[in-house]
Amino acid sequence: MFGSAVPQEETMQFAVLSLLTAAGVGVTVPKGINSICCGTPWKSKGMTKGYASMRARVVDVMRRATHDGELVVLSDAVSCSEGFVHELEYEGVTNIKVVDAVQYIADELLPSLPPLPKVASAALHPTCSSTRMGWNDSIRKCAEAIADEVYVANNWGCCGFAGDRGMLHPELTASATAREAAELERRHFDYYLSANRTCELGMERATGKPWRHVLNVLAERMVEFAPA
């Protein structure tokens, strides 16, 4: 939706499907997906009626797509993954499991995927959503499949992008990222990784570096170094 730091980079959907296919995992995209979202834009702005309407729509689509909970739901943006989890909680749905794609790939796929050549180092920016949901270890595992050293800044914190806040109030993001950016500028990293495009945008503005989703890089290297 927001473009990539790397020209002509494949989409997140392509990256996730590539990794699942490589591991022999079948996947289906739900019918009606273009009419649903995680509801966070409504919830965060206090639009309760819109949020309630979206929750009901999401539950209906997910019940049909998962055969009422038989399949796991994967989401490829960590803030959206958190939003879907909360929508189901609000609606009292307990038999449908939503996981972020990073968590699923780290836990279920990485052990069976062939090891890849690694770069020397990668800077990693966890996100607020991954921290709240306990998914930071999964992001690190995926990053460690790419780089020998994975560095999270001691001054890591929220990038302040906060949905659309970083678009409307760039000074908020600049202030929130100043200390982390200053720490990261002390050295060079081969990759700059995160798990949510708006967070990556915030960090790109702060550091001038090309921040990318860890799964995009993992899938890219898997294609590049796959056995002939």
Side-chain angles (χ1 to χ4, degrees):
M1 180 181 292
F2 298 110
S4 169
V6 177
Q8 299 181 331
E9 180 176 64
E10 295 286 1
T11 64
M12 269 302 301
Q13 181 179 352
F14 177 87
V16 172
L17 291 176
S18 295
L19 292 165
L20 293 172
T21 300
V25 177
V27 62
T28 181
V29 178
K31 293 181 180 178
I33 195 171
N34 60 337
S35 67
I36 64 173
C37 88
C38 70
T40 302
W42 283 268
K43 181 183 177 185
S44 62
K45 293 182 182 297
M47 298 178 178
T48 55
K49 291 183 178 179
Y51 184 48
S53 176
M54 184 53 67
R55 292 198 312 263
R57 191 181 302 176
V58 164
V59 170
D60 180 59
V61 169
M62 285 191 178
R63 284 198 188 283
R64 286 185 279 110
T66 66
H67 305 293
D68 206 22
E70 290 182 18
L71 302 177
V72 173
V73 177
L74 296 187
S75 169
D76 62 14
V78 69
S79 61
C80 298
S81 304
E82 181 189 13
F84 283 127
V85 169
H86 292 327
E87 283 184 320
L88 296 176
E89 289 175 346
Y90 266 91
E91 294 298 303
V93 177
T94 59
N95 64 323
I96 297 177
K97 182 179 181 181
V98 175
V99 299
D100 188 71
V102 172
Q103 181 192 20
Y104 185 86
I105 286 167
D107 294 346
E108 304 294 337
L109 302 193
L110 276 184
S112 64
L113 291 175
L116 298 170
K118 297 184 181 182
V119 297
S121 63
L124 179 64
H125 175 83
T127 76
C128 297
S129 291
S130 65
T131 301
R132 284 192 296 266
M133 300 302 290
W135 294 334
N136 284 344
D137 285 347
S138 297
I139 300 175
R140 178 178 279 278
K141 285 181 184 177
C142 290
E144 288 174 344
I146 296 165
D148 285 322
E149 179 195 6
V150 176
Y151 183 80
V152 177
N154 293 323
N155 289 310
W156 169 82
C158 176
C159 72
F161 212 90
D164 64 1
R165 296 296 88 189
M167 300 175 194
L168 303 175
H169 300 283
E171 70 278 6
L172 176 64
T173 297
S175 175
T177 56
R179 293 178 63 194
E180 182 179 359
E183 181 179 340
L184 294 175
E185 285 172 1
R186 296 172 189 163
R187 55 176 293 193
H188 169 77
F189 296 93
D190 295 294
Y191 285 121
Y192 296 82
L193 305 173
S194 190
N196 208 57
R197 186 61 194 138
T198 50
C199 301
E200 293 154 25
L201 285 170
M203 293 306 298
E204 283 171 21
R205 291 180 180 180
T207 64
K209 303 296 184 180
W211 288 80
R212 303 173 65 190
H213 196 294
V214 64
L215 295 186
N216 272 110
V217 179
L218 183 61
E220 177 182 274
R221 293 184 68 79
M222 183 191 69
V223 171
E224 181 180 358
F225 295 106

